[in-house]
Amino acid sequence: MVKSPFKKATLCIFLVLALVALDQSHSKAQGMDFGFGSLLPLKSIESFFGPLLPANGIGDTFRSEFGIGLTTPIFQKIVLNVEGTSYDLLINKASNENSSLDYRSIDGGPMVYDFFAKFRAWRFAAKADYQIFEARSRRADRGGFFFNSVILSGDVDIIQGPWFAAGVRAKFFLSSPYFKFNGLNTANLSVDLHAPSPWTIGPYIRYVPPEIIGIPVHFEAWIDFPLKGSSYTSYAGALVFRPQIYRFDLFTRLKFERTTFILSGDDSVTNKPWDLNLVWNLYGAEFGIYF
């Protein structure tokens, strides 16, 4: 399991904010306190965290969206390490470094396809994705980095205002990343590596103003920290061109994401311990429909 100092820091921040809100509150005899009185100053809590219950019932808050994502990860780093030796699989052919790997290197800008469905009720949301992510070797040997996976994620809005929301998201990749590379050096060393699937957790924010310069858009940002399995860390932002959130409305989400992914494991061919270090910047768009 990969430990991250950011998880404790995130929990501490939300705890401090909650204590501040409680400390500044005052109970009112005529206030709506659901029988808890001064022990639970609901109005002060709601002034910071938003309404605890929806005005028209949870059923009225149900929303769903379906769509497809078309993105391109531009690799910044693809380095394979074994027993103190490093192999750069993202080669600049203009350089003389590792020239023997030039024609065997990995595609540095593949296309990634993502099919998704998301369901939201009040402060909670669940999302399912099917991702097709394949960065193949430039040789026709079926080698490369493969990360096709079903992804399940869950969100909870800890702060939910009319224009702003902030919360925590957990994400679970259900398939393992796979890496295969043949003819790595003069001894034709081959690698066949399966690594544990990553699980992540992290905060997110969502800013949804009525409109900006007459255009209905909103902004999202999130960070994923490693929770379990392979080390997967990313931070991202998106600008969403949306309608007025009525049903059967279309949306377009322009997104950027930077990811650091470290795969470790024993190669099934040589039984040697390998580390694959990947860094990529992902650019693209998602297109979908609200229900």
Side-chain angles (χ1 to χ4, degrees), residues 205-270:
I205 62 170
R206 186 172 61 251
Y207 176 58
V208 189
E211 59 183 26
I212 298 176
I213 319 178
I215 303 174
V217 299
H218 73 258
F219 174 76
E220 301 172 351
W222 61 93
I223 305 175
D224 293 323
F225 297 118
L227 178 63
K228 183 181 178 181
S230 298
S231 178
Y232 186 99
T233 305
S234 70
Y235 58 88
L239 186 64
V240 185
F241 293 85
R242 58 176 175 80
Q244 297 301 321
I245 314 300
Y246 299 117
R247 299 191 188 278
F248 305 104
D249 282 330
L250 302 176
F251 68 87
T252 299
R253 178 181 287 110
L254 304 180
K255 62 186 293 186
F256 166 81
E257 181 175 312
R258 182 174 177 85
T259 299
T260 300
F261 196 16
I262 301 175
L263 286 70
S264 300
D266 291 337
D267 170 44
S268 62
V269 177
T270 63

Side-chain angles (χ1 to χ4, degrees), residues 58-212:
I58 292 180
D60 189 62
T61 67
F62 179 79
R63 294 291 184 273
S64 62
E65 60 184 71
F66 299 88
I68 181 173
L70 303 173
T71 56
T72 299
I74 305 300
F75 282 94
Q76 310 297 307
K77 180 179 181 181
I78 306 177
V79 174
L80 189 63
N81 302 301
V82 58
E83 298 179 338
T85 302
S86 296
Y87 300 93
D88 186 352
L89 305 183
L90 186 66
I91 304 298
N92 178 3
K93 292 190 176 183
S95 70
N96 294 323
E97 225 177 291
N98 294 321
S99 58
S100 62
L101 287 177
D102 281 351
Y103 73 101
R104 301 187 182 109
S105 58
I106 301 294
D107 182 4
M111 180 66 73
V112 174
Y113 303 92
D114 182 27
F115 305 90
F116 62 88
K118 187 172 185 178
F119 306 92
R120 171 172 293 278
W122 192 224
R123 293 176 179 263
F124 303 94
K127 185 180 181 184
D129 296 72
Y130 179 65
Q131 169 186 274
I132 302 174
F133 188 160
E134 298 183 353
R136 296 181 177 272
S137 168
R138 289 190 171 90
R139 293 198 310 176
D141 57 4
R142 298 185 179 180
F145 170 67
F146 303 91
F147 195 25
N148 301 334
S149 181
V150 173
I151 309 168
L152 302 180
S153 58
D155 304 358
V156 56
D157 290 351
I158 296 177
I159 299 173
Q160 189 185 72
W163 290 359
F164 177 81
V168 177
R169 169 182 300 144
K171 185 183 295 184
F172 310 97
F173 294 81
L174 302 188
S175 301
S176 300
Y178 171 62
F179 176 75
K180 181 179 180 180
F181 202 82
N182 299 317
L184 191 60
N185 55 14
T186 54
N188 285 323
L189 183 63
S190 296
V191 185
D192 197 327
L193 174 65
H194 287 268
S197 58
W199 291 9
T200 66
I201 191 170
Y204 65 85
I205 62 170
R206 186 172 61 251
Y207 176 58
V208 189
E211 59 183 26
I212 298 176

